[in-house]
Structures are given as structure tokens and as C-alpha cells.
Amino acid sequence: MGSDLSLAGRTAVVTGAGAGLGRSEALALAARGAAVVVNDIGPAAEDVAAEIEAAGGRAVAVTGDVGDWSLGDTLVAAAVEEFGSLDIVVNNAGVLRDRMLFNLSEGDWDEVIRVHLKGHASVSRAAAVHWRAAAKATGGPVYGRVINTASEAFLFGPPGQANYAAAKAGIVALTLSTAQGLARYGVRANAICPRARTAMTAEQFAEGVTAGGLDIMAPERVGTFVGYLASPAAEHISGQVFVVYGDMVALMAAPLVERTWTADGGVFSVEELDAKLTPYFTGRDPFRTYAAWSVHALDTTGVTKSPG
């Protein structure tokens, strides 16, 4: 007998769901049986909710900016009041303000951090409050899934995306803290680093090829994985980071300690540090840094110009 993949009777909140990845994720969850609270900053949220209902699903649109802290509470309340529960949170909303560091304005920095990182935190916090209260009320674990949207940018640190990469690294750390802090209540939290051809990434990806009748960079492929992570079958998956696109899902390993140095007399001098560290780094490959450049080798689609 197969695993339980049904989302029937579950309620999901999906942010940034008016288009692109968020829309595909909302549609995928609805197709698996979930009722969906569709969030976006504009009227597209209504369109996607109507699309779900036209297909026989249940959905409600909530317009608002996730960078406003109070919206998290609004989205959780909408899920509970409209559909009776909150089971799944997909944090997807984001913006781009790509600039080289020397051209980066305070506004460019603040907006990207606000929408991506604060937006993830605002919805996650509100969901955490709800799940903790529900677990205490029932005296046992609840059903909770958090799926956050990171990016390969946090693994590479693209030169024109200091703000975006920093936000995505923060989202990974937030995901780990969410997984640790809410595990006792039954909540599972993971992060995905997706690639898909959407309006936001149009300049990153070349024209696609098809595999199985579907564009290799279609956002629906990511939506399928989100549907899986949201399901009961993913009960044992938490605190993980996945790179997801095309026909592939890759699980990222945690950073490893490469090398340690110990002071001979218990306290380092600058001279001893020089003697021990300088030879180790002299002549080192400039791409052998904390950045996970090996992830480039995962690309089998042939359509990616740069990680984003």
C-alpha cells in the first residue's frame, strides 16, 4: 500500500500565488484536495482563486503585502474561518532589486529583505502561534507543513544579488529554526531552491525544451514537489534544503568542517596563524570558497544561463 499523498481536508496558505511559482503551487495543492488561501498584492489572487474553484476546488483570495507583519495573522485567520483549519504554509512571495553592491541603495536592500525574509517570518510566526495553541488544546501534535522558498543564490552569492542572496540565506536559517522550534507540535519545515521560467526569472533562463510533454523549466514541476512535501508522506522530512527544477530534486548536505588549526601553545599569535594558514590558501582555486559551486554540475536541462 502506498504512502498517504492526499491533502483532502487540509487547508493551505500560499503567498505570492497570483502568478508564476506561487500560482503553480496553489493549483498543485488544490489538485491534491487542499483548500487554498491565495495571497498576492494585487487582483491576480482573485483570478487564481477563481481558477481553483472553476476546477472544482475550494479557495479564497486575500490581498495584501507579506512584508506587513500583521498580514500573517490575517492569512491564518482566513484559513481557519473559511475552511476550519491551517495545515500547510507555502512562503513564496518575493521581489527582485538586482544591483551590484556598489550600486545598491538602502531602498533596494530594505525592500528585498522586507518582502522575502520578513514576509516569510511574518506568516511563519502567525502559523506557529496557531499550531502551538492547537497542540496545547488537544494535548498532542497537530498537522503542520511549512515550505519556504530559498534560492541557489544563497549557495553562490551572485555578484548582482547581494540583497537577494542575503535574504535567501536568512530564509534557510529561519527554516532550520522553524523545524527545530515547532517539531514538538508536529510541524515539519523545509526549504526549496527552485528554478522555473516565470515573469520574475525571464532573463535568467533561455528557451526551454520539453520532457514528458512539459517545458523542462515549467513551474508546475516545482508545484508537484511542493504537493509532496505538504503531504502526510513527508512526515519524516524536516529541516532540509532541496534544489528543485526540471526533472530533478537534489538534497543539499549541511556544511562540513574542512580543516581546523590549533595553537601550539594554547594562544595564537599572528605569526603562527601566518605560518599555518597562509600556505594552505596559497594557490587555492578561487572558486573553492564557502559557495557551493558544485551545484552547477547538477544542471541537466541545458537551458540555464545563471543560478538565481
Side-chain angles (χ1 to χ4, degrees):
M1 187 172 179
S3 300
D4 184 0
L5 296 167
S6 174
L7 299 179
R10 308 291 184 193
T11 302
V13 168
V14 183
T15 69
L21 274 174
R23 172 182 171 273
S24 293
E25 291 162 345
L27 293 175
L29 294 172
R32 305 299 308 174
V36 184
V37 177
V38 180
N39 161 256
D40 213 303
I41 57 174
E46 299 279 0
D47 298 337
V48 173
E51 189 176 356
I52 290 171
E53 291 184 325
R58 296 184 300 155
V60 62
V62 176
T63 303
D65 183 344
V66 292
D68 294 335
W69 194 254
S70 64
L71 187 68
D73 292 321
T74 301
L75 292 172
V76 170
V80 174
E81 291 167 10
E82 292 286 337
F83 304 117
S85 69
L86 172 69
D87 307 286
I88 302 154
V89 169
V90 181
N91 284 308
N92 168 76
V95 295
L96 288 176
R97 297 288 186 273
D98 291 356
R99 303 283 189 275
M100 296 297 288
L101 187 58
F102 40 76
N103 289 327
L104 185 67
S105 71
E106 184 177 9
D108 295 331
W109 174 267
D110 286 350
E111 184 66 1
V112 168
I113 298 297
R114 186 185 71 85
V115 176
H116 284 280
L117 184 52
K118 184 180 178 183
H120 272 62
S122 70
V123 182
S124 297
R125 181 211 63 87
V129 170
H130 170 79
W131 284 323
R132 179 172 178 263
K136 291 197 168 192
T138 61
V142 298
Y143 188 96
R145 298 284 187 271
V146 178
I147 300 155
N148 289 335
T149 307
S151 166
E152 288 169 274
F154 102 91
L155 297 168
F156 296 101
Q161 293 188 310
N163 48 3
Y164 183 73
K168 292 306 190 180
I171 286 168
V172 170
L174 172 65
T175 305
L176 298 178
S177 184
T178 302
Q180 292 273 0
L182 302 186
R184 72 182 75 176
Y185 306 120
V187 179
R188 308 292 178 254
N190 297 284
I192 61 171
C193 300
R195 291 190 204 174
R197 185 177 294 101
T198 67
M200 194 166 107
T201 62
E203 295 184 1
Q204 266 74 46
F205 302 118
E207 289 303 310
V209 294
T210 58
L214 187 65
D215 179 352
I216 193 69
M217 299 303 288
E220 287 81 4
R221 294 174 179 272
V222 179
T224 299
F225 186 62
V226 167
Y228 164 71
L229 280 184
S231 76
E235 168 69 17
H236 301 294
I237 304 175
S238 195
Q240 306 296 338
V241 177
F242 296 92
V243 176
V244 187
Y245 65 90
D247 58 359
M248 182 205 74
V249 172
L251 173 64
M252 295 303 298
L256 301 173
V257 176
E258 178 182 337
R259 175 75 181 265
T260 60
W261 292 270
T262 304
D264 292 340
V267 179
F268 270 118
S269 66
V270 173
E271 290 76 13
E272 186 183 3
L273 288 168
D274 173 50
K276 291 188 172 181
L277 273 68
T278 299
Y280 187 80
F281 288 98
T282 299
R284 187 181 177 93
D285 182 342
F287 286 98
R288 192 179 172 195
T289 69
Y290 196 74
W293 291 105
S294 62
V295 176
H296 272 303
L298 293 173
D299 189 8
T300 60
T301 66
V303 300
T304 305
K305 295 195 318 189
S306 65

